[in-house]
């Protein structure tokens, strides 16, 4: 298990990398500019590990208010192959690892807004019951199945 101190050290190592990317203008305009027009031919991919209700809700409300749609994996794959074109600004929302907040926070909010997301789990983290004495912070197989069916 990674400690908070270790996470902080790893985060600080990223500062020079991200600063370099900012200086060389490797970020798209929607990241660096206060106001920009909606993207039409580009699809930003947002990756989450965990989400907090208030923050994630505001992010989804922003997308909805600005006319963005979320893509399914099938549509995104077809877009990459040149088999379809977008008729609206779009984003791809992805979740990594299998944090419990996908089910408790993200899933209800995505459903509320009619949005899609893609999850990439670490199967070793997924279990139907946490080990004795451990707080459950990972999804269960039944929760994954429920979200997949939706």
């Amino acid at each position: 298990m990674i400690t908070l101190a270790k996470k902080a050290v790893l985060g600080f190592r990223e500062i020079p990398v991200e600063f370099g990317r900012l200086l060389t203008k490797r970020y798209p305009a929607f990241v660096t500019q206060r106001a920009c027009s909606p993207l039409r031919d580009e699809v930003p991919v947002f990756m989450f590990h965990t989400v907090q209700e208030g923050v994630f809700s505001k992010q989804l409300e922003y997308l909805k208010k600005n006319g963005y749609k979320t893509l399914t994996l099938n549509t995104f794959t077809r877009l990459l192959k040149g088999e379809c074109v977008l008729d609206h600004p779009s984003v791809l929302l992805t979740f990594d690892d299998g944090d419990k907040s996908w089910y408790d926070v993200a899933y209800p909010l995505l459903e509320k807004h009619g949005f899609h997301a893609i999850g990439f789990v670490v199967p070793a983290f997924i279990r139907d019951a946490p080990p004795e004495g451990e707080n459950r912070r990972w999804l269960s197989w039944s929760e994954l199945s429920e979200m997949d069916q939706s």
Side-chain angles (χ1 to χ4, degrees):
M1 177 123 194
I2 191 165
T3 65
L4 183 59
K6 177 94 173 169
K7 281 185 177 184
V9 168
L10 294 172
F12 281 115
R13 286 186 191 160
E14 291 295 316
I15 291 173
V17 173
E18 297 304 325
F19 189 67
R21 289 177 179 158
L22 186 64
L23 287 176
T24 58
K25 300 183 183 202
R26 293 183 59 197
Y27 286 113
F30 74 88
V31 172
T32 59
Q33 296 177 8
R34 175 168 273 195
C36 61
S37 59
L39 302 173
R40 294 259 176 232
D41 299 328
E42 298 175 353
V43 177
V45 177
F46 295 100
M47 186 271 299
F48 301 91
H49 285 278
T50 186
V51 291
Q52 296 173 335
E53 186 169 1
V55 174
F56 193 61
S57 180
K58 286 179 184 177
Q59 291 167 332
L60 294 181
E61 287 168 11
Y62 176 88
L63 292 174
K64 190 74 141 185
K65 177 181 171 188
N66 288 281
Y68 282 87
K69 306 289 185 193
T70 55
L71 300 178
T72 63
L73 182 57
N74 183 43
T75 303
F76 186 64
T77 303
R78 290 181 51 235
L79 179 68
L80 293 176
K81 292 179 181 179
E83 297 174 357
C84 71
V85 293
L86 298 176
D87 59 357
H88 45 73
S90 301
V91 297
L92 185 68
L93 303 178
T94 69
F95 289 85
D96 281 0
D97 301 332
D99 187 88
K100 183 82 165 99
S101 67
W102 296 10
Y103 185 80
D104 294 340
V105 177
Y107 177 46
L109 289 171
L110 291 165
E111 292 258 306
K112 173 184 172 184
H113 290 286
F115 284 161
H116 303 279
I118 302 165
F120 300 94
V121 300
V122 177
F125 294 168
I126 310 303
R127 33 184 102 112
D128 284 321
E132 189 70 31
E134 180 182 303
N135 287 336
R136 184 163 150 218
R137 71 174 271 231
W138 301 109
L139 293 167
S140 68
W141 288 111
S142 59
E143 291 165 337
L144 277 172
S145 179
E146 179 185 333
M147 290 188 292
D148 182 55
Q149 295 303 312
S150 75

